[in-house]
RNA sequence: GCCGAUGUAGCUCAGUUGGUCAGAGCAGCUGAUUUGUAAUCAGCAGGUCGGGGGUUCGAAUCCCUCCAUCGGCUCCA
């Protein structure tokens, strides 16, 4: 008798071994049609694998990660089969499922390349193979058998993988004429794979090691329905339209210059205005939370970074020191603001009563990122952190953490990031030697973070081994309007710098104690945040933030004087207003300004002149009729107030 | 940094068996028009075809090299 416990704790009993697929069929035919994989006692299995003992199970459909994983992993095998058929003699590396789809790394051998032009061929072959409805068959094999199989094939990659596996745990999967070393799980058959798209091709090092051979990585995605593929492709198109590099150019927010250097953004007037508004917004919040603004220079003596330990760790891969005409003097461009802030902390002795001390600075830093790594505003070589360092007593850590989280929440709410989660990065429990600071301190701070996120009711996941060497951290991820995930703000505990800079405060016991330091940047960096904001809003920023709020469009030159009056009136009401008095037809002016994503367009002609009104048009939403000028100004101010008041932005 | 692709006017892009191939649209300027809710018409101007070197009678086009951008990999204090 085998007892199968379902997620709702109901129990089904079977007389003999039974597969996940049979269980699903038992429950309902509809379910059996949709189910893709099964979790058996915390292990994900193939549906057709017999369960021979009592188990807790969960059946996975497309909507579950586990279901998609099996689907895409099976698709990777299908693609490998197709590629083996099309390119005889290729050697397969690894081929996992990823967040959106799957890839396979292959060694094509000398003088063979795959380009975009080959994609249709691969897709067609995959479709042909999928339609054969081949079963994915799992087979447990002895290590020697697996080694023999791949040695005979001359595939050194698989041989290397197998060598590292333990005998008795090795499985092969077969479908059609294709065999692959694989842990599974897989779909019952290729039949379910209906819609196929090869997405891209790129190079990737074998096992991610840049000293080893570079393989060809082919990316693809598949779906159980053609319609789902089409929707996915639409989403990709939409993402392309929202690319911050494209919108940044269209809206004249920022640019790059080859002459200035790669990865060094130039903020244009509109972008600078937007950024400044964001900075002022955060400054105001920080003031409420007891932060003090400080300012520090862009360079510092090399010695500063030797003290902090960063020179040893990153010196070789950073911008190299700046030498002065006097021999022996070396300065570094600052890659971070912390050491400067530590020195600010040290300008006078601190009492335990003074803590926490919170120094904030929009500090511009320079990091030598590898050239291939640069990307728009999200990865640059010069950027401005919305940085602050909190120096506090160990017993204040949790409270300070919660306060920083409040600031992060205010920002996310004000900018309409409704969907966010956090990642708590803790020590690797297996190896505690690579971290600096006492066990006791680590335990205290890790539990402080965990208590803080619990008390703030934040959705989070824990990553062990992801902590920095100097302390645990909390990172915030937001989902944008297209469901893409971005990492923004960060809060990090640091035991290293207070030690290295010998920071102190005098306790109630009149003895010297070491403060704890918190690094935090709710935006992350101004560059990255603006990039994410652009992609989130598609360039349609909230009214309070957008560089230009209103544009006045006179019907003809005869109405320019009145338009000028409207312009001045609104600007006097602190409404950021432009005028478009070009000699163009009104339709043209509307089109151009709609494309500039200015939220309100005011059309003024003879009617409006006579009645002292404006005709209001909302960006993307058409004509709203006319109203008195004063009435319009009140409307705008009310809307801005509604957006800002909840967070006391202004 | 590595693999692959790309680089033509401010923007988007045509233009390769090497020979009126230096083009178009938008933006800009000038003029006409004086306009009522997403593109008025005409004219003008604008590029050492990413930089440098080479092959050739002749190079945007072929080769080498450097730079930058894009897609990945690796990396991200």
């Amino acid at each position: 008798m085998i007892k199968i416990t379902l997620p709702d704790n109901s129990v089904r009993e079977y007389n003999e071994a039974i597969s996940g697929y049979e269980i699903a069929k038992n429950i309902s035919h509809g379910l059996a049609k949709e189910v893709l994989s099964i979790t058996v006692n915390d292990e994900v299995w193939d549906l057709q694998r017999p369960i021979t003992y009592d188990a807790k199970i969960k059946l996975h459909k497309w909507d579950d990660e586990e279901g998609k994983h099996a689907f895409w992993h099976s698709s990777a095998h299908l693609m490998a089969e197709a590629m083996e058929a099309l390119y005889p003699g290729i050697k397969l590396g690894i081929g996992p499922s990823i967040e959106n789809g799957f890839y396979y790394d292959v060694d094509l051998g000398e003088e063979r390349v795959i380009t975009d032009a080959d994609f249709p061929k691969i897709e067609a072959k995959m479709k042909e193979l999928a339609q054969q409805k081949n079963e994915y068959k799992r087979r447990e094999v002895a290590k020697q058998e697996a080694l023999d199989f791949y040695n005979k094939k001359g595939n050194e990659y698989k041989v290397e993988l197998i060598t590292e596996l333990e005998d008795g745990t090795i499985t092969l999967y077969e479908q059609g004429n294709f065999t692959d070393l694989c842990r599974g799980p897989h779909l019952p058959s290729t039949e379910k794979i209906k819609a196929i798209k090869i997405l891209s091709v790129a190079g990737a090092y074998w096992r991610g090691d840049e000293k080893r051979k570079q393989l060809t990585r082919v990316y693809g995605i598949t779906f159980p329905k053609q319609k789902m593929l089409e929707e996915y492709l639409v989403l990709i198109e939409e993402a392309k339209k929202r690319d911050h590099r494209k919108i940044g150019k269209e809206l004249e927010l920022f640019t790059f210059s080859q002459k200035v250097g790669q990865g060094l953004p130039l903020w244009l007037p509109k972008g600078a205005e937007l950024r400044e508004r964001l900075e002022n917004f955060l400054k105001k919040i920080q003031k409420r939370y007891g932060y003090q603004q400080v300012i520090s220079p862009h360079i510092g003596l090399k010695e500063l970074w030797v003290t902090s330990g960063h020179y040893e760790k990153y010196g070789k891969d950073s911008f190299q020191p700046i030498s002065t005409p006097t021999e022996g003097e070396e300065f570094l461009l600052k890659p971070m603001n912390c050491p400067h802030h530590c020195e600010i902390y040290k300008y006078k002795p601190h009492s335990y009563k003074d803590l926490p001390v919170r120094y904030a600075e929009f500090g511009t830093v320079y990091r030598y990122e590898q050239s291939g790594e640069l990307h728009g505003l999200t990865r640059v070589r010069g950027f401005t952190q919305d940085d602050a360092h909190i120096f506090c007593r160990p017993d204040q850590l949790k409270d300070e953490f919660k306060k920083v989280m409040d600031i992060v929440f205010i920002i996310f709410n004000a900018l309409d990031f409704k969907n966010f989660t956090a990642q708590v990065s803790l020590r690797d429990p297996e190896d505690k030697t690579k971290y600096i600071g006492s066990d006791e301190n680590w335990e205290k701070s890790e539990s402080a973070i965990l208590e803080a996120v619990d008390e703030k009711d934040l959705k989070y996941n824990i990553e062990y081994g992801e902590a920095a060497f100097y302390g645990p951290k909390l990172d915030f991820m937001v989902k944008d309007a297209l469901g893409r995930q971005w990492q923004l703000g960060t809060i990090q505990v640091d035991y290293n710098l207070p030690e290295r800079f010998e920071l102190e405060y005098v306790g109630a016991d009149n003895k010297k104690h070491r403060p704890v330091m918190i690094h935090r940047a709710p935006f992350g960096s101004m560059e990255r945040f603006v990039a994410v904001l652009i992609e989130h809003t598609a360039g349609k920023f909230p009214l309070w933030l957008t560089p230009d709020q209103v544009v006045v469009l006179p019907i003809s030159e005869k109405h320019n004087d009145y338009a000028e009056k409207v312009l001045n009136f609104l600007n006097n009401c602190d409404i950021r207003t432009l005028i478009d008095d070009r000699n163009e037809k009104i339709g043209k002016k509307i089109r151009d300004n709609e494309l500039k994503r200015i939220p309100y367009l005011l059309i003024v002609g003879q009617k409006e002149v006579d009645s002292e009104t404006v005709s209001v048009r909302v960006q993307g939403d058409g004509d709203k009729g006319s109203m008195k000028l004063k009435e319009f100004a009140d409307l705008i101010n009310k809307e801005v107030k509604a957006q800002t008041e909840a967070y006391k932005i202004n």
Side-chain angles (χ1 to χ4, degrees):
Chain A
M1 187 71 77
I2 295 166
K3 279 189 194 164
I4 299 293
T5 310
L6 300 177
D8 63 359
N9 283 326
S10 65
V11 176
R12 287 173 175 254
E13 297 188 344
Y14 298 95
N15 290 324
E16 51 192 3
I18 181 148
S19 72
Y21 181 70
E22 291 295 327
I23 297 170
K25 225 162 85 177
N26 239 251
I27 296 171
S28 88
H29 274 280
L31 181 62
K33 256 182 150 171
E34 280 191 66
V35 71
L36 299 171
S37 67
I38 179 172
T39 294
V40 179
N41 294 337
D42 299 329
E43 216 178 289
V44 189
W45 282 23
D46 309 317
L47 279 179
Q48 60 276 38
R49 181 168 166 191
I51 304 167
T52 55
Y53 42 79
D54 292 357
K56 275 193 160 171
I57 65 139
K58 183 170 191 297
L59 293 162
H60 302 296
K61 299 193 286 188
W62 176 260
D63 290 334
D64 301 321
E65 283 307 310
E66 294 88 345
K68 277 199 187 81
H69 171 78
F71 195 92
W72 283 333
H73 196 176
S74 301
S75 302
H77 280 219
L78 182 67
M79 181 170 77
E81 184 185 6
M83 287 175 61
E84 268 195 347
L86 293 168
Y87 310 99
I90 60 166
K91 296 173 189 173
L92 300 175
I94 55 164
S97 70
I98 52 177
E99 196 185 340
N100 287 305
F102 55 89
Y103 66 79
Y104 218 113
D105 285 346
V106 298
D107 182 349
L108 295 166
E110 302 298 319
E111 295 185 25
R112 197 153 40 177
V113 290
I114 289 182
T115 67
D116 301 12
D118 300 310
F119 295 173
K121 205 165 63 186
I122 300 172
E123 286 164 11
K125 190 75 190 170
M126 284 173 74
K127 264 179 209 149
E128 179 194 322
L129 293 167
Q131 280 161 7
Q132 292 175 4
K133 305 184 181 179
N134 293 318
E135 273 177 55
Y136 287 90
K137 292 182 209 139
R138 180 177 189 274
R139 188 154 68 88
E140 292 177 15
V141 293
K143 188 165 180 170
Q144 197 53 52
E145 189 189 338
L147 284 172
D148 290 346
F149 178 78
Y150 279 108
N151 273 320
K152 210 171 125 197
K153 270 194 130 178
N155 184 329
E156 63 269 28
Y157 306 107
K158 296 286 186 189
V159 168
E160 181 180 327
L161 293 174
I162 295 164
T163 308
E164 291 165 19
L165 293 174
E166 229 171 275
D167 204 357
T169 63
I170 299 170
T171 50
L172 296 179
Y173 275 82
E174 290 171 21
Q175 96 264 7
N177 292 317
F178 178 78
T179 303
D180 202 358
L181 171 74
C182 184
R183 193 180 299 130
H186 284 286
L187 301 175
S189 93
T190 58
E191 185 185 2
K192 285 193 191 298
I193 303 171
K194 303 275 199 219
I196 298 167
K197 184 85 186 166
I198 305 298
L199 295 169
S200 63
V201 60
Y205 302 110
W206 170 237
R207 315 203 84 177
D209 183 345
E210 61 183 310
K211 291 186 188 66
R212 307 198 62 179
K213 187 159 182 179
Q214 187 144 24
L215 307 180
T216 302
R217 179 168 293 181
V218 182
Y219 288 86
I221 194 162
T222 53
F223 294 92
K225 288 183 185 139
Q226 186 63 31
K227 194 163 166 245
M228 293 167 91
L229 172 61
E230 280 158 22
E231 282 167 4
Y232 177 75
L233 294 176
V234 167
L235 191 72
I236 296 202
E237 277 311 304
E238 183 56 25
K240 270 192 204 153
K241 276 188 223 151
R242 285 167 178 252
D243 191 317
H244 74 276
R245 293 167 297 186
K246 182 171 174 286
I247 292 179
K249 200 181 265 181
E250 285 169 6
L251 299 187
E252 298 184 0
L253 299 174
F254 60 89
T255 188
F256 291 90
S257 147
Q258 268 197 46
K259 267 218 166 102
V260 171
Q262 61 179 164
L264 300 170
L266 301 169
W267 290 81
L268 304 175
K270 299 265 184 232
E273 203 185 332
L274 177 81
R275 170 173 154 172
E276 199 180 29
R277 197 156 281 116
L278 282 169
E279 290 182 0
N280 288 338
F281 158 49
L282 180 56
K283 268 188 197 167
K284 269 178 193 143
I285 299 168
Q286 286 180 166
K287 200 162 186 185
R288 283 210 319 270
Y289 277 83
Y291 287 71
Q292 298 166 286
Q293 290 293 133
V294 294
I295 297 171
S296 64
H298 285 220
I299 63 174
L301 277 174
K302 181 178 142 188
E303 192 53 32
L304 186 65
W305 312 100
V306 172
T307 301
S308 74
H310 291 101
Y311 187 77
E312 195 196 354
K313 207 165 158 59
Y314 297 103
K316 280 198 306 295
D317 306 314
S318 300
F319 284 114
Q320 292 305 291
I322 304 163
S323 322
T324 61
T326 310
E327 261 183 72
E329 275 190 324
E330 286 190 307
F331 292 85
L332 286 181
L333 275 169
K334 67 177 176 188
M336 54 190 0
N337 306 296
C338 343
H340 286 84
H341 288 189
C342 285
E343 288 300 306
I344 291 177
Y345 178 83
K346 286 178 81 168
Y347 84 102
K348 70 171 185 189
H350 293 275
S351 151
Y352 72 99
K353 294 181 203 162
D354 301 338
L355 301 185
V357 167
R358 309 179 187 91
Y359 294 140
E361 173 174 13
F362 288 93
T364 304
V365 297
Y366 300 89
R367 297 180 183 176
Y368 182 81
E369 305 289 356
Q370 297 186 83
S371 63
E373 192 41 58
L374 301 170
H375 180 95
L377 283 186
T378 58
R379 198 73 191 277
V380 287
R381 285 180 168 170
F383 58 97
T384 301
Q385 296 178 308
D386 54 323
D387 212 355
H389 295 95
I390 301 170
F391 303 89
C392 66
R393 305 189 307 258
D395 63 287
Q396 294 172 319
L397 195 58
K398 181 171 132 191
D399 220 41
E400 282 306 303
F401 239 85
K402 284 165 72 180
K403 282 183 186 156
V404 177
M405 284 166 68
D406 283 338
I407 294 176
V408 172
F409 297 158
I410 289 173
I411 287 170
F412 287 176
N413 279 318
L415 292 159
D416 202 33
F417 289 108
K418 297 255 190 302
N419 201 334
F420 55 86
T421 56
Q423 176 179 315
V424 181
S425 299
L426 304 179
R427 272 185 306 182
D428 181 353
E430 307 289 307
D431 178 13
K432 294 186 176 175
T433 57
K434 55 183 176 187
Y435 303 98
I436 189 163
S438 70
D439 244 15
E440 189 197 342
N441 275 339
W442 270 85
E443 271 156 34
K444 256 193 232 160
S445 61
E446 290 186 342
S447 58
I449 294 179
L450 289 170
E451 283 169 31
V453 289
D454 277 330
E455 285 171 32
K456 285 288 168 193
D457 219 5
L458 184 61
K459 262 194 284 176
Y460 66 94
N461 59 305
I462 300 177
E463 295 291 335
Y464 293 96
E466 286 293 307
F469 73 93
Y470 50 74
K473 61 178 181 174
L474 179 67
D475 293 315
F476 290 88
M477 325 281 186
V478 298
K479 272 202 178 161
D480 72 12
L482 296 185
R484 295 169 302 172
Q485 189 147 299
W486 303 85
Q487 197 212 307
L488 290 176
T490 179
I491 317 177
Q492 311 186 0
V493 180
D494 189 343
Y495 291 113
N496 179 44
L497 290 181
E499 198 70 38
R500 284 178 169 264
F501 280 91
E502 300 178 333
L503 305 183
E504 295 170 338
Y505 65 89
V506 178
D509 55 4
N510 199 27
K511 293 210 174 95
K512 285 180 175 165
H513 298 269
R514 193 124 287 166
V516 185
M517 194 171 167
I518 299 174
H519 310 253
R520 43 107 281 179
F523 288 140
S525 80
M526 300 314 294
E527 284 73 9
R528 195 176 163 76
F529 190 81
V530 168
V532 175
L533 190 63
I534 289 171
E535 306 221 358
H536 182 51
T537 59
K540 296 175 193 170
F541 304 112
L543 191 62
W544 70 269
L545 181 64
T546 199
D548 302 309
Q549 297 172 313
V550 177
V551 60
V552 187
L553 313 178
I555 296 273
S556 84
E557 281 173 2
K558 283 184 285 196
H559 315 112
N560 281 359
D561 285 349
Y562 179 67
E564 196 81 28
K565 244 176 81 183
V566 172
L567 174 80
N568 290 332
F569 179 84
L570 292 176
N571 277 327
N572 282 335
C573 298
D574 288 324
I575 295 168
R576 300 186 289 277
T577 310
L578 297 175
I579 187 164
D580 183 354
D581 56 6
R582 292 176 305 163
N583 179 7
E584 294 289 352
K585 289 172 86 166
I586 194 65
K588 168 79 163 167
K589 293 191 196 182
I590 288 170
R591 179 182 159 78
D592 288 350
N593 287 289
E594 286 265 352
L595 290 174
K596 284 200 218 157
R597 298 166 174 83
I598 298 175
Y600 287 96
L601 285 67
L602 299 184
I603 288 100
V604 294
Q606 199 52 48
K607 261 194 314 202
E608 287 75 19
V609 173
D610 294 341
S611 60
E612 298 256 302
T613 59
V614 290
S615 175
V616 180
R617 194 184 157 96
V618 176
Q619 202 272 346
D621 202 26
D623 191 359
K624 296 287 157 203
S626 62
M627 60 176 78
K628 290 277 181 198
L629 185 52
K630 176 78 172 60
E631 208 181 322
F632 174 75
D634 289 345
L635 180 85
I636 297 297
N637 281 328
K638 217 171 110 189
E639 189 180 335
V640 168
K641 210 170 166 193
Q643 289 178 356
T644 56
E645 195 149 71
Y647 319 109
K648 299 200 176 66
I649 295 165
N650 285 317

